[in-house]
Amino acid sequence: MSTVAANPEIPWTWLMLRTTGIVAIVLLTVSTVIGIASPAIRSPKVRLVTISLHNAAAATGVVLLLGHVVFAIVDSYVSISPLAVVVPGASDWKPLWVGVGTVSFDLLLLLLITTLNRFRAPRMWKAVHLVSYALLALAWVHALAIGSDAADLPLRVTALVGLAATAVALVFRQSRRAPDRPVPATRVEEFV
Ligand code: HEM
């Protein structure tokens, strides 16, 4: 990326499209990993810090993602209409893989809207929050399928580290799950 940055031939909009996409996907991955692990943290103080980090990483990731889609529209090399930001397949350029990014973006919008209304519809928020897994997986497929840096080691290693961290967070959460309450012996007889 550094040699590319120094090359005046490379349009700055393309550099910004790639940079905002990469930083956004890293922040969304960090936010997801923290979001998975934080409910399993027992200390209320530590949990408060992790939830704040989760929100901060998600919010910053969303802002950078908005920059990413704006640069995707502005950049002259790829012809992407504003419609392609929310309608999968509407992009003239690589409609399938940009479309995968669009589906991910739409899921993020859904997650954002339910988060902003979570006090009015907490159950809906909790259920919809599960789409974050699909959102992230689709975003990484999109990035690795069409990204200019997809063939480079740093982005591939980042994807692997993100995947491993997500797996570790899921195992940590599962290991901290309160064991299902054993049914008291007396009651068992009632069912037999
Ligand atoms: C959650 C949604 C999305 C995320 C996290 C995301 C992230 C990324 C990442 C990390 C790359 C690879 C950049 C590189 O290799 O340098 C990329 C490439 C790209 N994305 Fe997205 N993207 C998303 C949605 C979209 C949408 C909705 C559009 C279009 C409307 C879009 C347009 C593009 C384009 C044109 C490229 C190729 C840029 C290049 O590397 O030359 N992305 N995206």
Side-chain angles (χ1 to χ4, degrees):
M1 193 74 125
S2 55
T3 48
V4 174
N7 180 342
E9 301 299 308
I10 302 258
W12 69 276
T13 49
W14 183 36
L15 275 181
M16 289 305 289
L17 166 59
R18 294 158 59 189
T19 311
T20 50
I22 292 174
V23 181
I25 206 169
V26 169
L27 285 168
L28 293 176
T29 306
V30 168
S31 178
T32 304
V33 170
I34 298 175
I36 294 169
S38 68
I41 293 170
R42 298 212 171 107
S43 146
K45 272 210 189 95
V46 179
R47 201 162 54 238
L48 190 60
V49 172
T50 55
I51 290 170
S52 312
L53 284 175
H54 168 74
N55 295 345
T60 320
V62 168
V63 171
L64 284 161
L65 190 60
L66 292 175
H68 177 68
V69 295
V70 168
F71 285 114
I73 297 164
V74 172
D75 184 67
S76 55
Y77 180 77
V78 290
S79 78
I80 293 181
S81 70
L83 202 63
V85 175
V86 286
V87 179
S91 168
D92 298 331
W93 186 77
K94 301 195 179 183
L96 171 64
W97 299 120
V98 171
V100 171
T102 304
V103 173
S104 181
F105 188 78
D106 290 341
L107 291 177
L108 188 65
L109 285 182
L110 184 65
L111 202 142
L112 271 180
I113 292 163
T114 50
T115 299
L116 294 172
N117 292 292
R118 71 185 178 284
F119 297 115
R120 254 180 285 176
R123 285 170 191 272
M124 164 104 84
W125 168 70
K126 202 165 171 57
V128 170
H129 227 64
L130 292 174
V131 302
S132 49
Y133 293 97
L135 182 168
L136 196 64
L138 289 171
W140 274 110
V141 169
H142 158 82
L144 296 172
I146 57 170
S148 308
D149 302 285
D152 299 347
L153 206 58
L155 195 61
R156 290 182 175 205
V157 170
T158 310
L160 284 177
V161 170
L163 191 63
T166 307
V168 169
L170 285 167
V171 171
F172 169 70
R173 183 167 170 155
Q174 199 54 32
S175 70
R176 288 285 181 102
R177 257 173 75 91
D180 291 334
R181 269 200 313 273
V183 178
T186 49
R187 288 200 53 221
V188 172
E189 279 81 32
E190 286 170 31
F191 301 113
V192 174

